[in-house]
Amino acid sequence: MEAESTICAIATAQGGALGIIRVSGIDAINITDKIFAPKDNIPLKNRNPYTLAYGKIYDKTEVIDEVLVSIFHAPHSYTGENSTEISFHNSTYIANRILNLLIESGCRQATPGEYTLRAFMNGKMDLSQAEAVADLIASTNKATHKMAINQLRGKFSVELQSLRQQLIHITSLIELGLDFSDHEELEFANYDELLSLAEKIEERISYLLKSFKTGQAIKRGIPVAIIGKTNVGKSTLLNQLLEDDKAIVSNIHGTTRDVIEDTMDINGVTFRFIDTAGIRKTTDEIESLGIERTFKKIEEASIIIWVTDNTPSDNDIIDIKPKMGGKRTIIALNKTDTIKDVEQQIATLKEKTELFSINNSSIIDISAKQGTNISELKSIIYDAANIPEIKENDVIVTSIRHYNALFSAHQNMTNLINGIKQNIGSDLLSEDLRQCIHCLNEIIGDAIRTEDTLESIFSNFCIGK
């Protein structure tokens, strides 16, 4: 990264009425002044920060657009540098003309994520907060938004800083003992107290690691496999859930020969529904491949909706149960608009689930064709996900990079605890502590300053961020 250069980029997507071009760097205000003519003739460099100026962008004598320019002085800007933001009428032609004028006047095109990278380098945020910017932009529902905003506001950082300070405290006590090891009358570290503190830290890191499963489920969408025999209404149910004709519906057996996936939000959480090939014995090679993929999707799913239009036979249950793996299962008795005695069918299904110990399951009667009880089914699906309500101060790990660092930190803490219990040498304990602190530093960025590593992290950002 060329820290001394002044950069520019479009910060808004095409299609809206207004667009914004960001300019950031030591010469941002001066360069913008070269192409901007304010209506009141007061140059941007002579204006107060955090104000707006109205005027025109010129290419020599040609008017490109009438714009508003926001002014920010270092260090009180997003990047911590002098910055301007040019609001223009969102035409691709106008945007490119303004960008070219800025580049001709001394800017260069920003690279992906460079604004946020500069914010990190200038101490406006730590690395975990910087990564939360990308998650915030990518958030598609209430849950992903809340996770990202909590991280951006520094909740995760505060948690990690607290753990790090506790680890530094333990390290200082142990290393003081090493420095004064020839004074046996001095005791700087009480091992019982150190063990208690280490176990509390290990417990908290373990909690953060466990939150990753929830974070990934919310971020990627909770996978729900819709399974059952052929022609029981799986594709019709998928279409009802999505409120769209996503899957082909036919009375012909074996219509769905591959998995079909799509997502929808239920109560602010994204669910990824997977319609699978009907399970039956077949000699058709293509259909058999589809059934194999069905079994694979059952393994990947967090929730299974087992659709049936009658009571499954004992052999059907024996065949499918081992593949469920104890997952949360919703048995949907479909086509209730054609079943004479729905209550009797439900009672029989309950007997079967008890007989074959299909635990962690629930039963609902529906008509996918008529839309009967689909809202109730969605409520059961949401409850089955068991997603905790994300509160303002909750910390949930969503990044695989953070998870890997925490996993290593947890291993170091486990080694430390075992070492304290076995009364091993203080120098070995200190090494585990230092490694654990290093892992936490990696998350917030204190241990990452090489340009290649940072560019790798920020390369997935959009250009204007």
Side-chain angles (χ1 to χ4, degrees):
M1 184 187 78
E2 301 172 46
E4 297 303 316
S5 58
T6 298
I7 57 175
C8 62
I10 300 171
T12 47
Q14 293 182 5
L18 297 176
I20 294 175
I21 288 176
R22 278 179 154 174
V23 186
S24 182
I26 192 168
D27 292 323
I29 295 171
N30 291 331
I31 290 174
T32 308
D33 258 333
K34 292 179 182 179
I35 67 169
F36 175 66
K39 187 173 182 180
D40 58 10
N41 296 318
I42 302 173
L44 297 175
K45 64 183 178 182
N46 295 338
R47 293 175 180 270
N48 291 328
Y50 327 116
T51 57
L52 288 172
Y54 167 73
K56 298 175 182 178
I57 298 289
Y58 279 91
D59 183 357
K60 299 181 178 64
T61 59
E62 180 187 0
V63 176
I64 303 302
D65 197 13
E66 294 184 353
V67 301
L68 285 172
V69 179
S70 310
I71 308 158
F72 304 90
H73 288 182
H76 304 297
S77 70
Y78 179 76
T79 59
E81 304 170 328
N82 286 344
S83 301
T84 63
E85 292 184 357
I86 303 170
S87 299
F88 60 94
H89 295 96
N90 199 9
S91 150
T92 302
Y93 173 77
I94 292 171
N96 289 334
R97 287 290 299 272
I98 296 174
L99 276 177
N100 287 336
L101 287 171
L102 288 166
I103 291 169
E104 289 170 5
S105 300
C107 282
R108 69 165 174 83
Q109 177 77 44
T111 58
E114 189 168 358
Y115 290 94
T116 306
L117 174 56
R118 289 187 174 208
F120 165 68
M121 298 297 290
N122 292 325
K124 300 297 292 184
M125 57 182 72
D126 67 32
L127 196 54
S128 71
Q129 290 174 295
E131 290 170 292
V133 172
D135 285 345
L136 189 62
I137 293 169
S139 62
T140 57
N141 56 49
K142 182 179 179 181
T144 52
H145 172 266
K146 189 166 283 189
M147 287 193 305
I149 206 73
N150 281 354
Q151 187 170 324
L152 182 60
R153 291 172 64 190
K155 304 300 181 185
F156 190 29
S157 303
V158 169
E159 177 89 34
L160 294 176
Q161 291 285 7
S162 174
L163 291 173
R164 188 173 70 165
Q165 287 304 117
Q166 293 175 64
L167 289 166
I168 290 172
H169 176 64
I170 296 176
T171 304
S172 64
L173 292 176
I174 290 176
E175 292 189 351
L176 272 173
L178 284 170
D179 291 340
F180 293 92
S181 58
D182 53 340
H183 294 270
E184 295 182 1
E185 72 279 6
L186 298 176
E187 183 182 37
F188 294 95
N190 181 308
Y191 271 39
D192 288 338
E193 291 180 8
L194 290 184
L195 179 61
S196 176
L197 184 54
E199 287 176 337
K200 287 178 182 177
I201 295 171
E202 182 275 334
E203 184 180 344
R204 190 57 189 170
I205 294 175
S206 180
Y207 168 82
L208 292 173
L209 281 171
K210 290 175 182 175
S211 76
F212 178 72
K213 184 178 180 180
T214 299
Q216 282 291 287
I218 293 174
K219 194 173 178 179
R220 297 173 57 195
I222 297 165
V224 182
I226 303 173
I227 69 167
K229 299 181 76 172
T230 58
N231 210 27
V232 293
K234 299 185 300 299
S235 297
T236 305
L237 176 58
L238 176 70
N239 291 341
Q240 276 286 359
L241 289 167
L242 299 176
E243 300 176 9
D244 187 17
D245 292 333
K246 181 73 176 179
I248 296 173
V249 176
S250 169
N251 290 327
I252 301 171
H253 287 270
T255 304
T256 303
R257 297 191 170 203
D258 202 352
V259 295
I260 300 172
E261 298 188 28
D262 210 340
T263 62
M264 74 165 297
D265 286 0
I266 301 176
N267 298 337
V269 175
T270 299
F271 288 82
R272 181 158 47 89
F273 290 100
I274 308 160
D275 181 23
T276 61
I279 300 170
R280 65 169 179 167
K281 297 188 183 301
T282 179
T283 58
D284 187 297
E285 184 178 351
I286 302 299
E287 190 179 352
S288 295
L289 288 172
I291 294 169
E292 283 181 26
R293 292 187 180 184
T294 294
F295 292 141
K296 189 174 291 185
K297 289 299 177 182
I298 292 173
E299 292 175 8
E300 295 174 7
S302 297
I303 301 168
I304 296 169
I305 302 177
W306 185 1
V307 184
T308 181
D309 56 5
N310 55 33
T311 303
S313 69
D314 291 358
N315 287 335
D316 290 339
I317 297 174
I318 290 168
D319 288 343
I320 199 69
K321 186 188 170 185
K323 296 176 174 62
M324 291 180 173
K327 298 174 189 283
R328 188 72 168 86
T329 303
I330 302 166
I331 302 173
L333 176 63
N334 191 25
K335 303 184 181 180
T336 53
D337 52 315
T338 63
I339 295 174
K340 291 183 179 180
D341 194 340
V342 173
E343 289 185 4
Q344 179 57 48
Q345 284 274 28
I346 292 290
T348 305
L349 280 171
K350 287 180 179 178
E351 289 176 6
K352 290 276 189 179
T353 58
E354 291 174 4
L355 178 64
F356 286 91
S357 301
I358 303 176
N359 302 318
N360 207 20
S361 65
S362 56
I363 301 171
I364 183 173
D365 57 285
I366 64 169
S367 170
K369 184 177 181 179
Q370 302 294 332
T372 306
N373 285 344
I374 298 300
S375 294
E376 290 78 1
L377 174 59
K378 288 180 180 179
S379 295
I380 294 172
I381 293 168
Y382 178 81
D383 291 339
N386 196 28
I387 296 295
E389 182 185 355
I390 302 171
K391 299 177 182 176
E392 185 175 339
N393 294 317
D394 285 349
V395 176
I396 296 177
V397 176
T398 61
S399 163
I400 187 64
R401 190 182 74 81
H402 299 170
Y403 176 85
N404 288 336
L406 286 167
F407 183 81
S408 296
H410 186 265
Q411 286 184 315
N412 292 129
M413 287 307 300
T414 301
N415 292 340
L416 175 69
I417 290 168
N418 291 335
I420 293 173
K421 289 179 179 178
Q422 296 167 17
N423 201 30
I424 68 171
S426 297
D427 52 342
L428 295 177
L429 298 180
S430 292
E431 182 57 28
D432 284 322
L433 281 164
R434 279 192 291 268
Q435 287 299 319
C436 188
I437 292 169
H438 175 78
C439 292
L440 300 185
N441 284 345
E442 279 192 336
I443 297 174
I444 57 181
D446 283 4
I448 299 179
R449 287 286 167 179
T450 64
E451 188 169 316
D452 289 344
T453 304
L454 291 174
E455 286 185 357
S456 173
I457 291 171
F458 286 95
S459 62
N460 294 319
F461 280 53
C462 56
I463 294 289
K465 209 61 182 170

